[in-house]
Amino acid sequence: MNEKILIIDDSELVLAMAKDALDQAGYQVLTATNGIEANRFIFSKDRPDLIIMDIMMPMLDGNKKAKLLKENEVSRDIPILLLSSKSEAEMRELVDEAKANGYILKPFTPAQIVQAVRGVLAR
């Protein structure tokens, strides 16, 4: 297993927790603190196999970023998991709107984030 996972979140704590959990599970983890910074991975040879993206971020929220990625020929096939502390009902709606592949609710445990990633990559 050498899949690349890109985590986009403006919280250093969330980035560190998610990175640690996925590193330990054997994934190669890339991090970015916003959707603009993430482009350097998404549109390069470092293209991730999956993106985990916070919804509430400065500059460009995760939901809008996910929609833009799904509309772009280069990035439309990259699975996206949205990350947020919103309610499950709100998250299901946002996933549908953004054409994302699922969501992870905050706060999450290391096991929950690894399980969500494995579930999407197995499809």
Side-chain angles (χ1 to χ4, degrees):
M1 171 194 342
N2 205 12
E3 289 107 338
K4 274 186 221 155
I5 311 298
L6 172 59
I7 307 165
I8 309 168
D9 199 304
D10 56 327
S11 163
E12 294 292 335
L13 179 63
V14 170
L15 284 177
M17 286 174 50
K19 182 177 182 348
D20 189 48
L22 294 169
D23 277 341
Q24 287 185 24
Y27 294 102
Q28 187 181 341
V29 183
L30 309 166
T31 61
T33 56
N34 63 62
I36 310 299
E37 184 187 324
N39 287 341
R40 71 188 166 112
F41 298 119
I42 297 166
F43 300 103
S44 75
K45 64 177 178 42
D46 282 327
R47 188 171 181 256
D49 297 295
L50 179 131
I51 298 169
I52 298 172
M53 187 168 5
D54 186 26
I55 287 180
M56 297 195 308
M57 289 188 294
M59 292 192 276
L60 181 64
D61 75 51
N63 205 35
K64 285 191 185 92
K65 177 72 176 176
K67 285 180 193 173
L68 292 170
L69 291 174
K70 290 300 183 181
E71 291 168 3
N72 187 299
E73 204 172 291
V74 174
S75 56
R76 79 167 48 119
D77 296 330
I78 303 172
I80 297 172
L81 285 170
L82 297 176
L83 183 61
S84 181
S85 53
K86 292 181 179 287
S87 72
E88 285 207 41
E90 286 176 289
M91 289 305 290
R92 281 193 293 272
E93 200 173 293
L94 289 169
V95 163
D96 285 346
E97 258 179 49
K99 296 182 178 63
N101 300 76
Y103 61 89
I104 301 165
L105 293 176
K106 290 180 185 179
F108 56 84
T109 64
Q112 286 170 322
I113 198 163
V114 170
Q115 181 182 9
V117 166
R118 286 187 179 142
V120 171
L121 290 176
R123 290 182 199 157

